[in-house]
Amino acid sequence: MSAEDEVNGNKILAESLLAQGVKYVFGIVGIPVIELSLAMQQAGLHFVGMRNEQAACYAAQTIGYLTKRPGVCLVVSGPGLLHALGGMANAQINCWPLLVIGGSCAQDHEGIGGFQECSQVDLARPYCKYSARPPGPTLIPTHVEKAVRLSIYGRPGVSYLDFPGNLLAQQVASSKVVYTAICPDPPLAWPDPALVRQAANLIMTAKRPLVIVGKGAAYAGAEGVVRDLVRTFNLPFLPTPMGKGVVDDNDIYCVSAARTTALQHADTILLLGARLNWILHFGRPPRFDPNVKIIQVDICAEELHNSIPAKVAIHADIGIFTRQLVLRLASQAWGFLSVSAWWGQLNSKIDKNKANIMKMIQDTRKPLNYYTTLHYIQETIPKDCIIVSEGANTMDIGRSILLNRLPKHRLDAGTFGTMGVGPGFAIAAALWCQVYAPGKRVICVEGDSAFGFSGMEVETMFRYKLPIIIIIVNNNGIYGGCDEETFQSIREEGEVTKVTPPTSLSTNVHYERMMDMFNIKGHFCIDIPQLQDALEQSLQVKDAPTIINVMINPSADRMPQDFAWLTESKL
């Protein structure tokens, strides 16, 4: 048999990924996947070398969310996969498509102490929908197709495929490889017409209706019909953090500024692709009316009735259901009164909360607070940019100040509350923009603690010429740090590990000087004119990242809330 008639596992795997619509691979190479990464590039895949496996995993899942085809995270054996598990858990809980490919110890070295030997298929299983090792090179395409299909069908999630070094290197006759057709897009679930009628009847008889728009509506591409629903029938809506932009945050029907009032007093809630988990306080009193009627629409049947029973539970594609609901309400010539008592209650609370926030925004004294800083960022950045954000107060306050006009344009710590996601998310978003939205900017707003998890990915951004603007809202700590005087007095203590507050970081750290590594000027800001100038300069940079380091008051906090942001356990 001639060499031309043979093919190795590396080539089969690379071409199988391409055949299944995969375009991007993020990872860190080493034994035994160096040759695989080269084969991937030769097959026509984009390979993005990252600095940390977790960040690679975050980037790969973001591409999956934005394109609805999984990105690939490529890792080495043992520690490589272990480092990626945090990213896998994040994608699985966030419901984002992801395919992780792990190199592993050669099969004849298993059980005798092979290099980085690890039970990888079993380790990955709790964090994914499908975890397997192809038995030989000829069946690689079959497993790749299944891994891709399971990552996008039903509730999107994670697949893991394991490849021992000897399997990747093995040569087989090309005629024996079992090639498969491309996995088609997932079938769309249509709602039961009787349930659509029940949902419409509940909405039409509601006195205090509310639409909650979740990340699932953004993933479904349902923004057009959801906007029709809200605007045609004068319905107040509340977006979840990554449901922002499905309907413009500036829309007159958005009641984010009266979130607590809306949740606490709504008598009927239409839940579109959102889950009643901790983000929505489980749908339970006192954050919700104990008698609220929930209309739950989800692509995952197992999610229905979770936490509390829904009055109407509908397994369906969000877009298809909402279109049928709009037609049903229109056929009844129904529209909720924009001058109702419910709208009056909501608007009164919106006006009060906005007035309180405006007082914070107008306080430009040094050191700055969160609201002022984030407001002037919002005033300067492009209105159609993708906003990536993480950190405690930085992210949470930013959800109300940094606005989105378009779906999938808010990427943050999400359901798993994962810190360190920002740079990886931003890298993937910037690569997506190059293909699908040339000229669109990615703004990565980080707390100083959050930035520390994955900060070296700025080198990845520079290497691939990605014009990401990183803004670090620096309060010297986690939640809050110390001022300079207090910090220096602590350092004079004999045993600093016993007296330094666990939430504290070093004060006035010049993170922007990381740009010196690339002979690029970073920006250190302590007031609003400096911040505005730094943003204007950064927006002119088209082929490299920039860092803007904004110092704020270490004691700055969010405004007083009616309830704690996290629902406490009662046990």
Side-chain angles (χ1 to χ4, degrees), residues 26 41 90 148 258 291 339 434 458 497 558 562:
F26 303 84
Q41 288 184 316
N90 188 73
V148 169
N291 298 312
V339 294
Q434 288 181 346
V458 69
T497 53
R558 68 187 77 195
D562 294 334

Side-chain angles (χ1 to χ4, degrees), residues 25-69:
V25 180
F26 303 84
I28 299 176
V29 299
I31 296 172
V33 297
I34 295 174
E35 291 79 8
L36 174 58
S37 66
L38 296 172
M40 287 171 164
Q41 288 184 316
Q42 291 167 0
L45 296 168
H46 298 273
F47 183 84
V48 182
M50 304 286 283
R51 301 303 300 266
N52 178 281
E53 286 93 354
Q54 278 194 13
C57 208
Y58 299 142
Q61 64 195 255
T62 304
I63 282 290
Y65 175 62
L66 294 174
T67 66
K68 302 178 77 169
R69 281 274 161 173

Side-chain angles (χ1 to χ4, degrees), residues 208-356:
R208 300 182 301 279
L210 177 68
V211 179
I212 297 180
V213 181
K215 178 173 72 247
Y219 186 82
E223 58 271 14
V225 68
V226 174
R227 291 169 188 171
D228 286 347
L229 172 69
V230 166
R231 294 167 180 170
T232 302
F233 304 108
N234 301 318
L235 290 171
F237 80 93
L238 182 69
T240 64
M242 278 190 277
K244 284 162 57 67
V246 172
V247 186
D248 191 335
D249 283 339
N250 277 312
D251 198 286
I252 60 172
Y253 298 109
C254 181
V255 295
S256 291
R259 184 179 190 272
T260 297
T261 297
L263 294 178
Q264 197 171 23
H265 297 288
D267 63 1
T268 303
I269 292 177
L270 173 60
L271 203 62
L272 295 176
R275 291 172 282 177
L276 292 176
N277 54 24
W278 68 272
I279 292 177
L280 288 175
H281 315 288
F282 312 107
R284 299 174 182 175
R287 300 300 295 265
F288 285 71
D289 186 311
N291 298 312
V292 65
K293 299 179 180 68
I294 300 291
I295 304 166
Q296 187 178 14
V297 189
D298 204 283
I299 197 172
C300 176
E302 290 83 352
E303 184 62 33
L304 301 175
H305 304 294
N306 192 37
S307 184
I308 63 169
K311 188 71 174 178
V312 182
I314 304 168
H315 174 224
D317 173 81
I318 299 296
I320 293 174
F321 164 80
T322 308
R323 174 57 62 198
Q324 293 194 3
L325 178 63
V326 167
L327 293 173
R328 179 69 184 176
L329 293 175
S331 72
Q332 303 297 308
W334 180 82
F336 191 69
L337 293 176
S338 59
V339 294
S340 67
W342 178 225
W343 265 117
Q345 183 180 0
L346 291 170
N347 285 329
S348 175
K349 190 66 173 180
I350 289 170
D351 291 343
K352 179 181 178 181
N353 286 344
K354 284 186 174 180
N356 290 334

Side-chain angles (χ1 to χ4, degrees), residues 254-496:
C254 181
V255 295
S256 291
R259 184 179 190 272
T260 297
T261 297
L263 294 178
Q264 197 171 23
H265 297 288
D267 63 1
T268 303
I269 292 177
L270 173 60
L271 203 62
L272 295 176
R275 291 172 282 177
L276 292 176
N277 54 24
W278 68 272
I279 292 177
L280 288 175
H281 315 288
F282 312 107
R284 299 174 182 175
R287 300 300 295 265
F288 285 71
D289 186 311
N291 298 312
V292 65
K293 299 179 180 68
I294 300 291
I295 304 166
Q296 187 178 14
V297 189
D298 204 283
I299 197 172
C300 176
E302 290 83 352
E303 184 62 33
L304 301 175
H305 304 294
N306 192 37
S307 184
I308 63 169
K311 188 71 174 178
V312 182
I314 304 168
H315 174 224
D317 173 81
I318 299 296
I320 293 174
F321 164 80
T322 308
R323 174 57 62 198
Q324 293 194 3
L325 178 63
V326 167
L327 293 173
R328 179 69 184 176
L329 293 175
S331 72
Q332 303 297 308
W334 180 82
F336 191 69
L337 293 176
S338 59
V339 294
S340 67
W342 178 225
W343 265 117
Q345 183 180 0
L346 291 170
N347 285 329
S348 175
K349 190 66 173 180
I350 289 170
D351 291 343
K352 179 181 178 181
N353 286 344
K354 284 186 174 180
N356 290 334
I357 290 174
M358 188 55 62
K359 293 177 184 177
M360 301 286 289
I361 289 171
Q362 292 171 344
D363 180 5
T364 57
R365 294 172 297 174
K366 295 183 290 186
L368 299 169
N369 67 60
Y370 285 104
Y371 293 88
T372 303
T373 302
L374 293 167
H375 169 76
Y376 282 96
I377 292 172
Q378 168 65 27
E379 289 290 295
T380 308
I381 61 177
K383 300 302 179 260
D384 67 341
C385 67
I386 294 179
I387 297 172
V388 178
S389 187
E390 61 172 331
N393 291 336
T394 298
M395 178 181 68
D396 293 339
I397 298 171
R399 286 169 172 167
S400 62
I401 305 296
L402 301 176
L403 306 181
N404 294 98
R405 303 174 65 180
L406 299 169
K408 294 186 179 180
H409 279 52
R410 167 85 188 193
L411 305 171
D412 69 23
T415 310
F416 208 32
T418 309
M419 292 295 105
V421 297
F425 281 8
I427 287 168
L431 290 166
W432 179 87
C433 289
Q434 288 181 346
V435 176
Y436 299 98
K440 186 183 291 289
R441 298 307 298 262
V442 177
I443 313 295
C444 186
V445 185
E446 300 271 302
D448 51 326
S449 172
F451 180 70
F453 283 80
S454 306
M456 273 310 299
E457 296 301 336
V458 69
E459 187 276 325
T460 308
M461 299 174 190
F462 178 81
R463 194 175 352 128
Y464 294 107
K465 302 196 296 186
L466 302 177
I468 297 164
I469 299 175
I470 301 171
I471 304 171
I472 300 170
V473 182
N474 190 345
N475 70 346
N476 302 333
I478 304 169
Y479 301 106
C482 298
D483 58 54
E484 181 71 23
E485 182 179 353
T486 303
F487 181 71
Q488 291 303 330
S489 67
I490 289 172
R491 285 171 61 82
E492 293 171 3
E493 297 285 343
E495 295 183 279
V496 293

Side-chain angles (χ1 to χ4, degrees), residues 188-199:
L188 298 178
W190 286 69
D192 182 339
L195 296 179
V196 175
R197 290 194 295 271
Q198 289 181 34

